[in-house]
Amino acid sequence: MSLDDNPPKKRGCFFYGCLAVIIFSLAASLLAYLGYRYLRHQLARFLDTTPVPIETVEISPAERDGLQQRLAAFKKAMDGQKIPRELTLTARDLNALIAQTPELKGKLFAMIDNGRIKGRISLPLEDKGPLKLKGKYLNGIATFNASLEDGTLNVTIEQVEVKGQPLPAWLLAKVRAQNLAQGLQSDPRSAQTIQKLESLRVADDVVVLKNKIKE
């Protein structure tokens, strides 16, 4: 996850990588518990044999250029660490980025509501150990909490609905304990980028990032 020197539309962008890692970490966390403790006998309760349609957002060339310019300006401010700058992203912005990311397009639709980030997901699964999951899909809606404190990015699950039903309380408690951004913290380039951020907050219907200034 890094705001590298590629144009914002390229796959190396901080935001693409961040979204991809978080969403697929969610899937991995669910499978870790469902797979070995529950799914062996009750796959049908949580998984489907077909994906559900996930809407995508198409933006105009002018909107795309404007978004890329804002991302580039924020990256420059992050790298320079001299001028304070905030980057505000709406759900439309996030979905425009998702639409440019093959790993996420058609698998995730982002929503922001009352200070919470939600994601409608339809994730294709792979075989995992003795479990034959290829051809199965995890379809549902996840609600996330996201924050940045003392250089540590925290993304946790608040609620997950699968096939219209909330996860069992015992399973949700396990998933809530996971920081889905932990993998980003462990990657040197991602960690370096995160250290250039002063804050991340979700306010009403936008995500706001603020760069860190060197004293």
Side-chain angles (χ1 to χ4, degrees), residues 122-174:
S122 184
L123 300 178
L125 305 178
E126 298 293 334
D127 292 341
K128 189 175 181 66
L131 294 174
K132 304 304 179 184
L133 301 178
K134 192 168 185 178
K136 303 288 186 180
Y137 294 82
L138 177 64
N139 300 321
I141 297 177
T143 303
F144 303 89
N145 292 314
S147 65
L148 180 69
E149 298 179 5
D150 298 324
T152 299
L153 178 63
N154 291 286
V155 180
T156 57
I157 294 293
E158 180 177 320
Q159 187 60 269
V160 179
E161 290 186 6
V162 178
K163 302 182 75 170
Q165 299 294 323
L167 290 182
W170 67 267
L171 176 57
L172 186 59
K174 296 289 187 181

Side-chain angles (χ1 to χ4, degrees), residues 89-91 94 110-119 142-148 154-159 200-208:
L89 295 171
T90 65
L94 295 177
M111 300 167 282
I112 307 174
D113 182 38
N114 292 326
R116 293 289 185 272
I117 300 174
K118 296 183 179 180
T143 303
F144 303 89
N145 292 314
S147 65
L148 180 69
N154 291 286
V155 180
T156 57
I157 294 293
E158 180 177 320
Q159 187 60 269
L200 178 154
R201 70 181 191 277
V202 184
D204 298 325
D205 58 353
V206 296
V207 176
V208 183

